[in-house]
Coordinates of all heavy atoms in Angstrom, one line a residue:
S1 N 17.6 -5.4 11.0 CA 19.0 -4.8 11.0 C 20.0 -5.9 10.8 O 19.9 -7.0 10.9 CB 19.2 -4.1 12.4 OG 19.3 -5.1 13.5
I2 N 21.2 -5.3 10.4 CA 22.4 -6.2 10.2 C 23.6 -5.5 10.8 O 23.9 -4.3 10.7 CB 22.7 -6.4 8.6 CG1 23.9 -7.2 8.5 CG2 22.8 -5.1 7.9 CD1 24.1 -7.7 7.0
L3 N 24.3 -6.2 11.6 CA 25.6 -5.8 12.3 C 26.7 -6.4 11.5 O 26.9 -7.6 11.4 CB 25.6 -6.3 13.8 CG 27.0 -6.1 14.5 CD1 27.1 -4.6 14.7 CD2 27.0 -6.9 15.8
I4 N 27.5 -5.5 10.8 CA 28.7 -6.0 10.1 C 29.9 -5.7 11.0 O 30.0 -4.6 11.4 CB 28.8 -5.2 8.8 CG1 27.4 -5.4 7.9 CG2 30.0 -5.5 8.0 CD1 27.4 -4.7 6.6
T5 N 30.7 -6.7 11.1 CA 31.8 -6.7 12.0 C 33.0 -7.3 11.3 O 32.9 -8.2 10.4 CB 31.7 -7.3 13.4 OG1 32.8 -7.1 14.1 CG2 31.4 -8.8 13.2
N6 N 34.2 -6.8 11.6 CA 35.4 -7.4 11.0 C 35.9 -8.6 11.8 O 35.5 -8.9 12.9 CB 36.6 -6.4 11.0 CG 36.5 -5.3 9.9 OD1 36.5 -5.7 8.7 ND2 36.3 -4.1 10.3
L7 N 36.6 -9.5 11.1 CA 37.2 -10.7 11.6 C 38.3 -10.3 12.7 O 39.1 -9.5 12.5 CB 37.8 -11.5 10.5 CG 38.7 -12.6 10.9 CD1 37.8 -13.7 11.5 CD2 39.5 -13.3 9.8
L8 N 38.1 -10.9 13.8 CA 39.2 -10.8 14.8 C 40.0 -12.1 14.7 O 39.6 -13.2 15.1 CB 38.6 -10.7 16.2 CG 39.7 -10.7 17.4 CD1 40.6 -9.4 17.2 CD2 38.9 -10.7 18.8
P9 N 41.2 -12.1 14.1 CA 41.9 -13.4 13.8 C 42.4 -14.0 15.1 O 42.9 -13.4 16.1 CB 43.1 -12.9 13.1 CG 42.8 -11.5 12.5 CD 41.9 -10.9 13.6
L10 N 42.2 -15.3 15.1 CA 42.7 -16.2 16.3 C 43.8 -17.1 16.0 O 44.4 -17.7 16.8 CB 41.5 -16.9 16.8 CG 40.2 -16.2 17.2 CD1 39.0 -17.1 17.5 CD2 40.5 -15.2 18.4
T11 N 44.1 -17.1 14.7 CA 45.3 -17.7 14.2 C 46.1 -16.9 13.2 O 45.6 -16.0 12.7 CB 44.9 -19.1 13.5 OG1 44.3 -18.8 12.3 CG2 44.0 -19.9 14.4
E12 N 47.4 -17.4 12.9 CA 48.1 -16.7 12.0 C 47.6 -16.7 10.5 O 47.6 -15.7 9.8 CB 49.6 -17.2 12.0 CG 50.6 -16.4 11.2 CD 52.1 -16.9 11.5 OE1 52.1 -17.9 12.2 OE2 52.9 -16.3 10.9
D13 N 47.0 -17.8 10.2 CA 46.4 -17.9 8.9 C 45.1 -17.0 8.7 O 44.9 -16.4 7.7 CB 45.9 -19.4 8.6 CG 47.1 -20.4 8.3 OD1 48.1 -19.8 7.8 OD2 46.9 -21.5 8.4
Q14 N 44.3 -16.9 9.8 CA 43.2 -16.0 9.7 C 43.5 -14.5 9.6 O 42.8 -13.8 9.1 CB 42.3 -16.2 11.1 CG 41.5 -17.5 11.1 CD 40.7 -17.6 12.4 OE1 40.6 -16.7 13.2 NE2 40.2 -18.8 12.6
A15 N 44.7 -14.2 10.1 CA 45.2 -12.8 10.0 C 45.4 -12.4 8.7 O 45.3 -11.2 8.3 CB 46.6 -12.7 10.8
K16 N 45.5 -13.3 7.7 CA 45.6 -13.0 6.3 C 44.3 -12.6 5.7 O 44.3 -12.1 4.5 CB 46.3 -14.2 5.5 CG 47.7 -14.6 6.0 CD 48.1 -15.9 5.4 CE 49.5 -16.4 6.1 NZ 49.9 -17.7 5.4
D17 N 43.2 -13.0 6.4 CA 41.9 -12.7 5.8 C 41.3 -11.4 6.1 O 40.1 -11.1 5.7 CB 41.0 -13.8 6.2 CG 41.2 -15.1 5.5 OD1 41.8 -15.1 4.4 OD2 41.1 -16.2 6.1
I18 N 42.0 -10.5 6.9 CA 41.3 -9.3 7.3 C 41.4 -8.3 6.1 O 42.2 -8.3 5.2 CB 42.1 -8.6 8.5 CG1 43.5 -8.3 8.2 CG2 42.1 -9.6 9.7 CD1 44.3 -7.5 9.3
V19 N 40.3 -7.4 6.2 CA 40.2 -6.4 5.1 C 40.5 -5.0 5.6 O 40.4 -4.0 4.9 CB 38.8 -6.4 4.6 CG1 38.5 -7.8 3.9 CG2 37.7 -6.0 5.6
Y20 N 40.9 -4.8 6.9 CA 41.1 -3.5 7.5 C 42.6 -3.1 7.6 O 42.9 -2.2 8.4 CB 40.4 -3.4 8.9 CG 40.7 -4.5 9.8 CD1 41.8 -4.5 10.7 CD2 39.9 -5.6 9.9 CE1 42.0 -5.5 11.6 CE2 40.1 -6.7 10.7 CZ 41.2 -6.6 11.6 OH 41.4 -7.6 12.5
D21 N 43.4 -3.8 7.0 CA 44.9 -3.6 6.9 C 45.3 -2.8 5.8 O 46.6 -2.6 5.5 CB 45.6 -4.8 7.1 CG 45.3 -5.8 6.0 OD1 44.5 -5.5 5.1 OD2 46.1 -6.8 5.9
G22 N 44.4 -2.3 4.9 CA 44.7 -1.5 3.7 C 44.9 -2.4 2.6 O 45.2 -1.9 1.4
S23 N 44.8 -3.7 2.6 CA 45.0 -4.6 1.5 C 43.7 -4.6 0.6 O 43.8 -5.1 -0.5 CB 45.3 -6.0 2.0 OG 44.2 -6.5 2.8
V24 N 42.6 -4.1 1.1 CA 41.3 -4.1 0.4 C 40.8 -2.7 0.3 O 40.8 -2.0 1.3 CB 40.3 -5.1 0.9 CG1 39.0 -5.0 0.3 CG2 40.8 -6.5 0.8
E25 N 40.2 -2.2 -0.8 CA 39.6 -1.0 -1.0 C 38.1 -1.1 -0.6 O 37.4 -1.8 -1.4 CB 39.7 -0.5 -2.4 CG 39.0 0.8 -2.7 CD 39.4 2.0 -1.7 OE1 40.5 2.3 -1.5 OE2 38.4 2.4 -1.0
M26 N 37.7 -0.5 0.5 CA 36.4 -0.8 1.0 C 35.4 0.4 0.8 O 34.2 0.3 1.0 CB 36.5 -1.0 2.5 CG 37.1 -2.4 2.9 SD 36.1 -3.8 2.3 CE 34.6 -3.7 3.2
D27 N 35.9 1.6 0.3 CA 35.0 2.7 0.2 C 33.9 2.5 -0.7 O 32.7 2.9 -0.4 CB 35.9 3.9 -0.3 CG 36.9 4.4 0.7 OD1 36.7 4.1 1.9 OD2 37.8 5.2 0.3
G28 N 34.1 1.9 -1.8 CA 33.0 1.6 -2.7 C 31.9 0.7 -2.1 O 30.7 0.9 -2.3
I29 N 32.4 -0.3 -1.5 CA 31.5 -1.2 -0.8 C 30.6 -0.5 0.3 O 29.4 -0.7 0.3 CB 32.2 -2.4 -0.1 CG1 33.1 -3.1 -1.1 CG2 31.3 -3.3 0.7 CD1 32.3 -4.0 -2.1
I30 N 31.3 0.4 1.1 CA 30.7 1.1 2.1 C 29.6 2.0 1.6 O 28.5 2.1 2.1 CB 31.7 1.9 2.9 CG1 32.6 1.0 3.7 CG2 31.0 2.9 3.9 CD1 33.8 1.6 4.3
N31 N 29.9 2.7 0.4 CA 29.0 3.6 -0.2 C 27.7 2.8 -0.7 O 26.5 3.3 -0.4 CB 29.6 4.3 -1.4 CG 30.6 5.3 -0.9 OD1 30.6 5.8 0.2 ND2 31.6 5.6 -1.8
E32 N 27.9 1.6 -1.2 CA 26.7 0.8 -1.7 C 25.9 0.5 -0.5 O 24.6 0.6 -0.6 CB 27.2 -0.3 -2.4 CG 27.7 -0.2 -3.9 CD 27.9 -1.5 -4.5 OE1 26.9 -2.2 -4.8 OE2 29.1 -1.8 -4.8
I33 N 26.6 0.1 0.6 CA 25.7 -0.4 1.8 C 25.0 0.8 2.3 O 23.8 0.6 2.7 CB 26.7 -1.0 2.8 CG1 27.3 -2.3 2.3 CG2 25.9 -1.2 4.2 CD1 28.3 -2.9 3.1
E34 N 25.6 2.0 2.5 CA 24.9 3.1 3.1 C 23.7 3.6 2.3 O 22.7 4.0 2.8 CB 26.0 4.2 3.2 CG 26.9 4.0 4.3 CD 28.0 5.1 4.4 OE1 28.1 5.9 3.4 OE2 28.6 5.2 5.4
K35 N 23.8 3.4 0.9 CA 22.6 3.7 0.1 C 21.5 2.8 0.4 O 20.3 3.2 0.4 CB 23.0 3.7 -1.4 CG 23.9 4.8 -1.9 CD 24.3 4.6 -3.3 CE 25.3 5.8 -3.7 NZ 25.8 5.5 -5.1
L36 N 21.8 1.4 0.5 CA 20.7 0.5 0.8 C 20.2 0.7 2.2 O 18.9 0.3 2.4 CB 21.4 -0.9 0.7 CG 21.8 -1.4 -0.8 CD1 22.8 -2.6 -0.6 CD2 20.6 -1.7 -1.6

């Protein structure tokens, strides 16, 4: 099994690396993973 989790930023710089703020389109990635 694999547990995929998002980054919990601990610094201001890390806050720029999150993908759950609408800055990244994740639907295609999710669909690929669900098929696998």
Side-chain angles (χ1 to χ4, degrees):
S1 71
I2 178 169
L3 172 69
I4 298 175
T5 183
N6 279 297
L7 173 67
L8 178 62
L10 305 173
T11 68
E12 193 171 357
D13 284 341
Q14 288 181 9
K16 301 172 186 176
D17 288 331
I18 64 174
V19 301
Y20 50 87
D21 58 353
S23 60
V24 171
E25 175 54 56
M26 292 296 297
D27 289 345
I29 302 290
I30 295 169
N31 289 337
E32 283 191 67
I33 292 173
E34 289 178 341
K35 291 175 183 177
L36 291 167

